[in-house]
Structures are given as C-alpha cells and as structure tokens.
Amino acid sequence: DDDDDDEWGPTLLLVDTSGCDLREEVTPSGSRRNEGEARIVASHVRSLLDAGVKAEDIAVISPYNGQVELLRSLLWDDGTDGGGDRSN
C-alpha cells in the first residue's frame, strides 16, 4: 500500500556502505560482522520503533551469524524489544 510507504518510509531499505571506512571483522567461529553497519541498522530500527512500527513488523536480514549476534546485542542491550524469532 502506497499510504504505508509515505508514513513509514520504504518497505525495503538497502544501504550502500562501500567507501564509508566501516571495518569488517571475522569472528572466532569464522563468521563476519561489521559494527559500523550494525549501528546504522540498529539506529534505523529504533527510528521505526519510535515512529510506532511494531517490532514484529520489522525484519533485518543478514547472511552472517556474527552480524546477527551483534545486531541482537545492540538492540536488546539498550532495552529495545527485538521481537520475533531469536533463532539463527
């Protein structure tokens, strides 16, 4: 629905962080994570929650378990209800 897009922003948001000097790390398990990118995502999720979007209506997708774990820690450690499934 186009009305929803006007109120909440785009349904799908892709952010190109190339050239932003955000450093990727390899976790001890061999997965990847990028704290700079995770902070951008966490900030956007908080903005959506502050605007009234329900946590269960927000999805963040990452192919890396290390990034998922980092995002969970950033969102849940600040008291934000991450909602949804906590499985990998």
Side-chain angles (χ1 to χ4, degrees):
D1 182 55
D2 288 337
D3 292 335
D4 290 340
D5 203 34
D6 292 337
E7 186 174 352
W8 307 114
T11 302
L12 174 66
L13 178 65
L14 303 173
V15 179
D16 182 3
T17 59
S18 61
C20 293
D21 200 31
L22 301 174
R23 308 259 182 226
E24 188 174 275
E25 304 169 2
V26 177
T27 66
S29 67
S31 187
R32 298 184 184 279
R33 61 184 258 162
N34 185 309
E35 187 168 348
E37 290 178 355
R39 291 191 181 282
I40 291 168
V41 170
S43 175
H44 189 67
V45 168
R46 281 189 214 98
S47 295
L48 290 171
L49 293 169
D50 290 346
V53 178
K54 296 176 187 172
E56 61 265 20
D57 293 334
I58 300 170
V60 177
I61 301 170
S62 174
Y64 301 111
N65 286 339
Q67 192 73 352
V68 171
E69 291 168 5
L70 178 58
L71 284 163
R72 285 179 178 154
S73 72
L74 288 173
L75 290 169
W76 288 322
D77 288 351
D78 74 357
T80 302
D81 177 13
D85 183 2
R86 292 184 184 209
S87 66
N88 288 331

